[in-house]
Amino acid sequence: MTSPAAPLRIPVPQVLEGPVVRLEPLTRQVLPELFRAIGRPEVFAGGYGGGPAGYRDTAVAFAEWAETYYPWRTGLPFAIRLSSGPEEGRLVGTSSLAEFEPGTERAHLGWTAYDPDVWGTAVNPATKRLLLGLAFDSGFGRVKIQADARNDRSRAAIAKLGATFEGITRRDARRADGSWRDAAVFSVIVDDWPRVRESLDARLLSRLRDG
């Protein structure tokens, strides 16, 4: 078995820069921007934020919802901005690393949503490349990524990253409408990381070459 190369440490808030996206610590001050990016019914339709009943249609209501949804105190929520191109600096989504368990070298990469305008682009693999790199560079050995079992689009995107599907956790969490969600659970472990990293780097390089 391969062991993490780095001594394990809980990562601290920081900026992560790549050729496609720049990840900055999420703050309450940018929630109006985040609302403009992801405050849309189609983002919540697949299960994000508890599903359609979790959708908030005003910036004020969204900020109130965000206060209890994101792992402000227990993890690292990030704002995702484009780092190149004509819309450089535009906030297009959010993702978080959280649920750090140093004793078992586990972390959870989740709370991820993007502006529908960037669905299917290099933004998701670029974001996951930075966050997985942060986790494994910090000495973690396993990163969980999951989605509502009914969200085929998100499940396909996670699988395309090279994450391993581990199964369905039944009755995992309540949706905003009170029903129970089953979760499709994937993981990337430190043994997988060289392969996954190489695949993501090749995928991003191809996207950049194609413009």
Side-chain angles (χ1 to χ4, degrees):
M1 296 291 289
T2 303
S3 299
L8 192 144
R9 64 189 186 280
I10 303 296
V12 298
Q14 59 194 278
V15 173
L16 303 174
E17 185 86 42
V20 177
V21 294
R22 172 186 174 91
L23 274 57
E24 304 171 348
L26 183 67
T27 66
R28 277 79 169 180
Q29 287 71 30
V30 303
L31 288 178
E33 283 184 90
L34 184 61
F35 172 71
R36 289 195 292 272
I38 70 169
R40 307 189 193 184
E42 59 266 41
V43 172
F44 287 75
Y48 186 72
Y55 171 66
R56 301 293 186 269
D57 62 359
T58 69
V60 171
F62 178 85
E64 293 173 350
W65 167 85
E67 191 62 37
T68 58
Y69 182 71
Y70 296 114
W72 301 100
R73 299 171 186 83
T74 59
L76 298 177
F78 289 92
I80 303 165
R81 295 186 183 277
L82 299 178
S83 62
S84 61
E87 294 189 288
E88 180 178 350
R90 176 186 164 201
L91 198 158
V92 294
T94 182
S95 192
S96 299
L97 270 180
E99 296 180 5
F100 300 113
E101 299 179 19
T104 54
E105 300 181 353
R106 296 176 181 174
H108 180 187
L109 197 173
W111 300 266
T112 305
Y114 303 106
D115 187 322
D117 291 348
V118 301
W119 288 358
T121 71
V123 167
N124 183 54
T127 297
K128 295 300 197 298
R129 171 64 176 86
L130 291 172
L131 290 177
L132 288 168
L134 176 60
F136 291 117
D137 288 348
S138 298
F140 284 85
R142 168 186 161 83
V143 179
K144 177 178 71 173
I145 311 173
Q146 66 183 26
D148 190 310
R150 302 190 306 195
N151 191 335
D152 292 336
R153 184 185 60 80
S154 290
R155 291 179 62 173
I158 296 169
K160 192 173 182 180
L161 297 171
T164 297
F165 176 60
E166 296 185 331
I168 302 295
T169 301
R170 297 184 300 165
R171 213 170 191 264
D172 173 69
R174 280 194 185 275
R175 297 187 179 94
D177 63 4
S179 65
W180 284 93
R181 179 194 77 175
D182 294 342
V185 180
F186 297 76
S187 71
V188 180
I189 65 172
V190 67
D191 307 75
D192 305 330
W193 178 228
R195 168 185 58 82
V196 172
R197 179 180 58 210
E198 182 178 351
S199 175
L200 286 172
D201 286 345
R203 185 174 163 190
L204 290 171
L205 181 60
S206 176
R207 290 288 189 96
L208 291 170
R209 284 175 173 168
D210 293 343

Coordinates of all heavy atoms in Angstrom, one line a residue, residues 78-153:
F78 N -14.9 27.1 -0.6 CA -14.2 28.0 -1.6 C -15.2 28.6 -2.6 O -16.2 28.0 -2.9 CB -13.2 27.1 -2.4 CG -12.0 26.7 -1.7 CD1 -12.0 25.5 -1.0 CD2 -10.9 27.5 -1.6 CE1 -10.9 25.0 -0.4 CE2 -9.7 27.1 -0.9 CZ -9.7 25.8 -0.3
A79 N -14.9 29.8 -3.0 CA -15.5 30.4 -4.2 C -14.7 30.1 -5.4 O -13.4 30.2 -5.3 CB -15.6 31.9 -4.0
I80 N -15.3 29.7 -6.5 CA -14.6 29.4 -7.7 C -14.7 30.5 -8.7 O -15.9 30.9 -9.1 CB -15.2 28.1 -8.3 CG1 -15.1 26.9 -7.2 CG2 -14.4 27.7 -9.6 CD1 -15.9 25.7 -7.6
R81 N -13.6 31.0 -9.2 CA -13.6 32.1 -10.2 C -12.8 31.6 -11.4 O -11.9 30.9 -11.3 CB -12.9 33.4 -9.6 CG -13.7 34.0 -8.5 CD -13.1 35.3 -8.1 NE -13.7 35.9 -6.9 CZ -14.9 36.7 -7.0 NH1 -15.4 36.9 -8.2 NH2 -15.4 37.2 -5.9
L82 N -13.2 32.1 -12.5 CA -12.4 31.9 -13.8 C -11.1 32.6 -13.6 O -11.1 33.7 -13.2 CB -13.2 32.3 -15.0 CG -14.6 31.7 -15.2 CD1 -15.2 32.3 -16.5 CD2 -14.4 30.1 -15.4
S83 N -10.0 31.9 -14.0 CA -8.7 32.5 -13.9 C -8.1 33.0 -15.2 O -7.0 33.5 -15.2 CB -7.8 31.5 -13.2 OG -7.6 30.4 -14.0
S84 N -8.8 32.8 -16.3 CA -8.3 33.2 -17.6 C -9.5 33.5 -18.5 O -10.7 33.2 -18.2 CB -7.4 32.1 -18.2 OG -8.1 30.9 -18.4
G85 N -9.2 34.0 -19.7 CA -10.2 34.3 -20.7 C -10.9 35.6 -20.5 O -10.6 36.4 -19.6
P86 N -11.9 35.9 -21.4 CA -12.6 37.2 -21.4 C -13.4 37.4 -20.1 O -13.7 38.6 -19.8 CB -13.5 37.1 -22.6 CG -13.6 35.7 -22.9 CD -12.3 35.0 -22.5
E87 N -13.7 36.4 -19.4 CA -14.5 36.5 -18.2 C -13.7 36.2 -16.9 O -14.2 35.9 -15.9 CB -15.8 35.6 -18.2 CG -16.8 36.0 -19.3 CD -18.1 35.3 -19.1 OE1 -18.1 34.1 -19.5 OE2 -19.1 35.9 -18.7
E88 N -12.4 36.4 -17.0 CA -11.5 36.2 -15.9 C -12.0 37.0 -14.7 O -12.4 38.1 -14.7 CB -10.1 36.7 -16.2 CG -9.1 36.5 -15.1 CD -7.7 36.9 -15.5 OE1 -7.5 37.2 -16.7 OE2 -6.8 37.0 -14.6
G89 N -12.0 36.3 -13.5 CA -12.5 36.8 -12.3 C -14.0 36.6 -12.0 O -14.4 36.8 -10.8
R90 N -14.7 36.1 -13.0 CA -16.1 35.9 -12.7 C -16.3 34.7 -11.8 O -15.7 33.6 -11.9 CB -16.8 35.6 -14.1 CG -18.3 35.2 -13.9 CD -18.9 34.8 -15.3 NE -20.1 34.1 -15.1 CZ -20.6 33.3 -16.1 NH1 -20.0 33.1 -17.2 NH2 -21.8 32.7 -15.9
L91 N -17.2 34.8 -10.8 CA -17.5 33.8 -9.8 C -18.5 32.8 -10.5 O -19.6 33.2 -10.9 CB -18.1 34.3 -8.5 CG -18.0 33.4 -7.3 CD1 -18.1 34.3 -6.0 CD2 -19.1 32.4 -7.3
V92 N -18.1 31.5 -10.6 CA -18.9 30.6 -11.3 C -19.4 29.4 -10.4 O -20.0 28.5 -11.0 CB -18.2 30.1 -12.6 CG1 -18.1 31.2 -13.6 CG2 -16.9 29.4 -12.2
G93 N -19.0 29.4 -9.2 CA -19.5 28.2 -8.3 C -18.8 28.2 -7.0 O -18.1 29.1 -6.6
T94 N -19.0 27.1 -6.3 CA -18.4 26.8 -5.0 C -18.2 25.4 -4.8 O -18.8 24.5 -5.4 CB -19.4 27.4 -3.9 OG1 -18.8 27.2 -2.6 CG2 -20.7 26.6 -3.9
S95 N -17.2 25.0 -4.0 CA -16.9 23.7 -3.6 C -16.2 23.7 -2.2 O -15.6 24.8 -1.9 CB -16.1 22.9 -4.6 OG -16.0 21.5 -4.4
S96 N -16.2 22.6 -1.5 CA -15.6 22.6 -0.2 C -14.9 21.3 0.1 O -15.2 20.2 -0.4 CB -16.7 22.7 0.9 OG -17.4 23.9 0.8
L97 N -13.8 21.4 0.9 CA -13.2 20.3 1.6 C -13.6 20.4 3.1 O -13.4 21.4 3.7 CB -11.7 20.3 1.5 CG -11.0 19.7 0.3 CD1 -9.5 19.9 0.4 CD2 -11.3 18.2 0.2
A98 N -14.1 19.2 3.6 CA -14.5 19.3 5.0 C -14.5 17.8 5.5 O -14.0 16.9 4.9 CB -15.9 19.9 5.1
E99 N -15.1 17.7 6.7 CA -15.2 16.4 7.4 C -13.9 15.8 7.5 O -13.7 14.6 7.3 CB -16.2 15.5 6.7 CG -17.7 16.1 6.8 CD -18.7 15.2 6.1 OE1 -18.3 14.0 5.6 OE2 -19.8 15.6 6.0
F100 N -12.9 16.6 8.0 CA -11.5 16.0 8.1 C -11.5 15.1 9.3 O -11.9 15.4 10.4 CB -10.5 17.2 8.4 CG -10.5 18.2 7.2 CD1 -11.0 19.5 7.4 CD2 -10.0 17.9 6.0 CE1 -10.9 20.4 6.4 CE2 -10.0 18.8 4.9 CZ -10.5 20.1 5.2
E101 N -10.9 13.9 9.1 CA -10.7 12.9 10.1 C -9.2 12.5 10.1 O -8.9 11.5 9.4 CB -11.6 11.7 9.8 CG -13.1 12.0 9.8 CD -13.9 10.7 9.6 OE1 -13.4 9.6 9.7 OE2 -15.1 10.9 9.2
P102 N -8.4 13.2 10.8 CA -7.0 12.9 10.8 C -6.6 11.5 11.2 O -5.7 10.8 10.6 CB -6.4 13.9 11.8 CG -7.4 15.0 11.8 CD -8.7 14.4 11.7
G103 N -7.4 10.9 12.1 CA -7.1 9.6 12.6 C -7.2 8.5 11.5 O -6.5 7.5 11.5
T104 N -8.1 8.7 10.6 CA -8.4 7.7 9.5 C -8.0 8.3 8.2 O -8.2 7.7 7.1 CB -9.9 7.3 9.5 OG1 -10.7 8.5 9.4 CG2 -10.2 6.6 10.7
E105 N -7.4 9.5 8.2 CA -6.9 10.2 7.0 C -8.0 10.4 5.9 O -7.8 10.3 4.7 CB -5.7 9.4 6.3 CG -4.5 9.2 7.3 CD -3.4 8.4 6.7 OE1 -3.6 7.8 5.5 OE2 -2.3 8.3 7.3
R106 N -9.2 10.7 6.4 CA -10.3 10.9 5.5 C -10.7 12.3 5.4 O -10.6 13.1 6.4 CB -11.5 10.1 6.0 CG -11.3 8.6 6.0 CD -12.5 7.9 6.7 NE -12.4 6.5 6.7 CZ -13.2 5.6 7.3 NH1 -14.3 6.1 7.9 NH2 -13.0 4.3 7.3
A107 N -11.2 12.7 4.2 CA -11.8 14.0 4.0 C -13.0 13.9 3.0 O -13.1 12.8 2.4 CB -10.8 15.0 3.5
H108 N -13.8 14.9 2.9 CA -14.9 14.9 2.1 C -14.9 16.1 1.1 O -14.7 17.2 1.6 CB -16.2 14.9 2.9 CG -17.5 14.9 2.1 ND1 -18.7 15.1 2.7 CD2 -17.8 14.8 0.8 CE1 -19.7 15.0 1.8 NE2 -19.1 14.9 0.6
L109 N -14.9 15.9 -0.1 CA -15.0 16.9 -1.1 C -16.4 17.0 -1.6 O -16.9 16.1 -2.2 CB -14.0 16.6 -2.3 CG -13.6 17.7 -3.2 CD1 -12.5 17.2 -4.2 CD2 -14.7 18.3 -4.0
G110 N -17.1 18.1 -1.3 CA -18.5 18.2 -1.7 C -19.0 19.7 -1.6 O -18.2 20.6 -1.8
W111 N -20.3 19.8 -1.4 CA -21.0 21.1 -1.4 C -20.7 21.9 -2.7 O -20.6 23.1 -2.8 CB -20.5 21.9 -0.2 CG -20.8 21.3 1.1 CD1 -21.9 21.5 1.9 CD2 -20.0 20.4 1.8 NE1 -21.8 20.7 3.0 CE2 -20.7 20.0 3.0 CE3 -18.7 19.8 1.5 CZ2 -20.1 19.1 3.9 CZ3 -18.2 18.9 2.4 CH2 -18.9 18.6 3.6
T112 N -20.6 21.1 -3.8 CA -20.2 21.7 -5.1 C -21.4 22.0 -6.0 O -22.3 21.2 -6.2 CB -19.3 20.7 -5.8 OG1 -18.2 20.3 -5.0 CG2 -18.7 21.3 -7.1
A113 N -21.3 23.2 -6.5 CA -22.3 23.7 -7.5 C -21.7 24.7 -8.4 O -20.9 25.5 -8.0 CB -23.6 24.2 -6.8
Y114 N -22.2 24.7 -9.7 CA -21.6 25.6 -10.7 C -22.8 26.3 -11.4 O -23.9 25.8 -11.5 CB -20.8 24.8 -11.7 CG -19.7 24.1 -11.2 CD1 -19.7 22.7 -11.1 CD2 -18.5 24.7 -10.7 CE1 -18.7 21.9 -10.6 CE2 -17.4 23.9 -10.2 CZ -17.5 22.6 -10.2 OH -16.5 21.8 -9.7
D115 N -22.5 27.5 -11.9 CA -23.3 28.2 -12.8 C -23.6 27.2 -14.0 O -22.7 26.7 -14.6 CB -22.6 29.4 -13.3 CG -23.5 30.3 -14.1 OD1 -24.3 29.8 -14.9 OD2 -23.3 31.6 -14.0
P116 N -24.9 27.0 -14.4 CA -25.2 26.2 -15.5 C -24.4 26.6 -16.8 O -24.2 25.7 -17.7 CB -26.7 26.3 -15.7 CG -27.2 26.6 -14.3 CD -26.1 27.5 -13.7
D117 N -24.0 27.8 -16.9 CA -23.2 28.3 -18.1 C -21.9 27.5 -18.2 O -21.4 27.5 -19.3 CB -22.9 29.8 -18.0 CG -24.2 30.6 -18.1 OD1 -25.2 30.1 -18.5 OD2 -24.1 31.8 -17.9
V118 N -21.4 27.0 -17.1 CA -20.1 26.3 -17.2 C -20.2 24.8 -17.0 O -19.2 24.1 -17.0 CB -19.0 26.9 -16.2 CG1 -18.8 28.4 -16.4 CG2 -19.5 26.6 -14.7
W119 N -21.4 24.3 -17.0 CA -21.6 22.8 -17.0 C -21.0 22.2 -18.2 O -21.1 22.7 -19.3 CB -23.1 22.4 -16.9 CG -23.7 22.7 -15.6 CD1 -23.1 23.2 -14.5 CD2 -25.1 22.5 -15.3 NE1 -24.1 23.3 -13.5 CE2 -25.3 22.9 -13.9 CE3 -26.2 22.1 -16.0 CZ2 -26.5 22.9 -13.3 CZ3 -27.4 22.0 -15.4 CH2 -27.6 22.4 -14.0
G120 N -20.3 21.1 -18.1 CA -19.7 20.4 -19.2 C -18.4 21.1 -19.7 O -17.8 20.6 -20.7
T121 N -17.9 22.1 -19.1 CA -16.6 22.7 -19.4 C -15.5 22.2 -18.6 O -15.7 21.2 -17.8 CB -16.7 24.3 -19.3 OG1 -16.7 24.6 -17.9 CG2 -18.0 24.8 -19.9
A122 N -14.3 22.8 -18.7 CA -13.2 22.4 -17.9 C -13.2 22.8 -16.4 O -12.3 22.5 -15.6 CB -11.9 22.9 -18.5
V123 N -14.2 23.6 -16.1 CA -14.3 24.1 -14.7 C -14.3 23.0 -13.6 O -13.6 23.1 -12.6 CB -15.5 25.1 -14.6 CG1 -15.7 25.4 -13.1 CG2 -15.2 26.4 -15.3
N124 N -15.2 22.0 -13.8 CA -15.3 21.0 -12.8 C -14.0 20.2 -12.7 O -13.5 20.0 -11.5 CB -16.5 20.1 -13.0 CG -16.6 19.0 -11.9 OD1 -16.7 19.3 -10.8 ND2 -16.6 17.8 -12.3
P125 N -13.4 19.6 -13.7 CA -12.2 18.9 -13.5 C -11.0 19.8 -13.0 O -10.2 19.3 -12.2 CB -11.9 18.3 -14.9 CG -12.7 19.1 -15.9 CD -13.9 19.5 -15.1
A126 N -11.0 21.0 -13.4 CA -10.0 21.9 -12.9 C -10.1 22.2 -11.4 O -9.1 22.2 -10.7 CB -10.0 23.3 -13.7
T127 N -11.4 22.3 -11.0 CA -11.6 22.5 -9.5 C -11.3 21.3 -8.7 O -10.6 21.4 -7.7 CB -13.1 22.9 -9.3 OG1 -13.4 24.1 -10.0 CG2 -13.5 23.0 -7.8
K128 N -11.7 20.1 -9.2 CA -11.4 18.9 -8.5 C -9.9 18.6 -8.5 O -9.4 18.1 -7.5 CB -12.1 17.7 -9.2 CG -13.7 17.8 -9.1 CD -14.2 17.9 -7.6 CE -15.7 17.5 -7.5 NZ -16.5 18.5 -8.2
R129 N -9.2 19.0 -9.6 CA -7.7 18.8 -9.6 C -7.1 19.6 -8.5 O -6.2 19.1 -7.8 CB -7.2 19.2 -10.9 CG -5.7 19.3 -11.0 CD -5.0 17.9 -10.9 NE -3.6 17.9 -11.0 CZ -2.7 18.2 -10.1 NH1 -3.1 18.5 -8.9 NH2 -1.4 18.2 -10.3
L130 N -7.5 20.8 -8.2 CA -6.9 21.6 -7.2 C -7.3 21.1 -5.8 O -6.4 21.0 -4.9 CB -7.4 23.1 -7.4 CG -6.8 23.8 -8.6 CD1 -7.5 25.2 -8.7 CD2 -5.3 24.0 -8.5
L131 N -8.5 20.7 -5.6 CA -9.0 20.3 -4.3 C -8.4 18.9 -3.9 O -8.0 18.7 -2.8 CB -10.5 20.4 -4.2 CG -11.1 21.8 -4.2 CD1 -12.6 21.7 -4.2 CD2 -10.6 22.6 -3.0
L132 N -8.4 18.0 -4.8 CA -7.8 16.7 -4.6 C -6.3 16.9 -4.3 O -5.8 16.2 -3.4 CB -8.1 15.8 -5.7 CG -9.5 15.2 -5.9 CD1 -9.7 14.5 -7.2 CD2 -9.9 14.3 -4.7
G133 N -5.7 17.7 -5.1 CA -4.3 18.0 -4.8 C -4.0 18.5 -3.4 O -3.1 18.1 -2.8
L134 N -4.8 19.4 -3.0 CA -4.7 20.0 -1.7 C -4.9 18.9 -0.6 O -4.1 18.8 0.4 CB -5.7 21.1 -1.4 CG -5.8 21.7 0.0 CD1 -4.4 22.4 0.3 CD2 -6.9 22.7 0.1
A135 N -5.9 18.1 -0.8 CA -6.1 17.0 0.2 C -4.9 16.0 0.3 O -4.4 15.7 1.4 CB -7.4 16.2 -0.1
F136 N -4.5 15.5 -0.8 CA -3.4 14.6 -0.8 C -2.0 15.2 -0.5 O -1.2 14.6 0.2 CB -3.3 13.8 -2.1 CG -4.5 12.9 -2.3 CD1 -5.4 13.1 -3.4 CD2 -4.8 11.9 -1.5 CE1 -6.5 12.3 -3.6 CE2 -5.9 11.0 -1.6 CZ -6.8 11.3 -2.7
D137 N -1.8 16.4 -0.9 CA -0.6 17.1 -0.5 C -0.6 17.4 1.1 O 0.5 17.6 1.7 CB -0.5 18.5 -1.2 CG -0.1 18.3 -2.7 OD1 0.3 17.2 -3.0 OD2 -0.2 19.3 -3.4
S138 N -1.8 17.4 1.7 CA -1.9 17.6 3.1 C -1.8 16.3 3.9 O -1.9 16.3 5.1 CB -3.2 18.3 3.4 OG -3.3 19.6 2.8
G139 N -1.6 15.2 3.2 CA -1.4 13.9 3.8 C -2.6 13.0 4.0 O -2.5 12.0 4.6
F140 N -3.8 13.4 3.4 CA -4.9 12.6 3.5 C -4.9 11.4 2.6 O -4.2 11.5 1.5 CB -6.2 13.4 3.3 CG -6.6 14.3 4.5 CD1 -6.0 15.5 4.6 CD2 -7.4 13.8 5.4 CE1 -6.3 16.3 5.7 CE2 -7.7 14.6 6.5 CZ -7.1 15.9 6.7
G141 N -5.5 10.3 3.0 CA -5.4 9.1 2.3 C -6.6 8.7 1.5 O -6.6 7.8 0.7
R142 N -7.8 9.3 1.8 CA -9.0 9.0 1.2 C -9.9 10.3 1.1 O -10.0 11.0 2.1 CB -9.8 7.9 2.0 CG -11.2 7.7 1.6 CD -11.9 6.7 2.5 NE -13.4 6.9 2.4 CZ -14.2 6.3 1.5 NH1 -13.6 5.5 0.6 NH2 -15.5 6.5 1.5
V143 N -10.4 10.5 0.0 CA -11.3 11.7 -0.2 C -12.6 11.1 -0.8 O -12.7 10.5 -1.8 CB -10.8 12.7 -1.2 CG1 -11.7 13.8 -1.4 CG2 -9.4 13.3 -0.7
K144 N -13.7 11.4 0.0 CA -15.0 10.9 -0.5 C -15.7 12.0 -1.3 O -15.6 13.2 -1.0 CB -15.9 10.7 0.8 CG -17.4 10.3 0.4 CD -18.2 10.0 1.7 CE -18.5 11.2 2.5 NZ -19.4 11.0 3.6
I145 N -16.4 11.6 -2.4 CA -17.2 12.5 -3.2 C -18.5 11.8 -3.4 O -18.5 10.6 -3.8 CB -16.5 12.8 -4.6 CG1 -15.0 13.2 -4.4 CG2 -17.3 13.9 -5.3 CD1 -14.3 13.3 -5.7
Q146 N -19.6 12.5 -3.2 CA -20.9 11.8 -3.3 C -21.9 12.8 -3.9 O -21.7 14.0 -4.0 CB -21.4 11.4 -1.9 CG -21.7 12.4 -0.9 CD -22.1 11.9 0.4 OE1 -21.7 10.8 0.8 NE2 -22.9 12.7 1.2
A147 N -23.0 12.2 -4.3 CA -24.1 12.9 -4.9 C -25.4 12.2 -4.6 O -25.4 11.0 -4.3 CB -24.0 13.0 -6.5
D148 N -26.5 12.9 -4.7 CA -27.8 12.3 -4.6 C -27.9 11.2 -5.6 O -27.5 11.4 -6.8 CB -28.9 13.4 -4.9 CG -30.3 12.9 -4.6 OD1 -30.7 11.8 -5.0 OD2 -31.1 13.6 -3.9
A149 N -28.3 10.0 -5.2 CA -28.3 8.9 -6.1 C -29.2 9.1 -7.3 O -29.0 8.4 -8.3 CB -28.9 7.6 -5.3
R150 N -30.1 10.0 -7.2 CA -31.0 10.3 -8.4 C -30.4 11.3 -9.4 O -31.0 11.5 -10.4 CB -32.4 10.9 -7.9 CG -33.1 10.0 -6.9 CD -34.5 10.4 -6.6 NE -34.6 11.8 -6.2 CZ -35.7 12.3 -5.6 NH1 -36.8 11.5 -5.4 NH2 -35.7 13.5 -5.2
N151 N -29.2 11.9 -9.0 CA -28.6 12.9 -9.8 C -27.7 12.3 -10.8 O -26.5 12.2 -10.6 CB -27.9 13.9 -9.0 CG -27.5 15.2 -9.7 OD1 -27.3 15.1 -10.9 ND2 -27.3 16.3 -9.0
D152 N -28.2 11.8 -12.0 CA -27.3 11.2 -12.9 C -26.2 12.0 -13.5 O -25.1 11.6 -13.8 CB -28.2 10.6 -14.1 CG -29.2 9.5 -13.7 OD1 -28.9 8.8 -12.7 OD2 -30.2 9.3 -14.3
R153 N -26.5 13.3 -13.7 CA -25.5 14.2 -14.2 C -24.3 14.3 -13.3 O -23.2 14.2 -13.7 CB -26.1 15.6 -14.5 CG -25.2 16.6 -15.2 CD -25.8 18.0 -15.3 NE -26.1 18.5 -14.0 CZ -25.2 19.1 -13.2 NH1 -24.0 19.2 -13.5 NH2 -25.6 19.6 -12.0

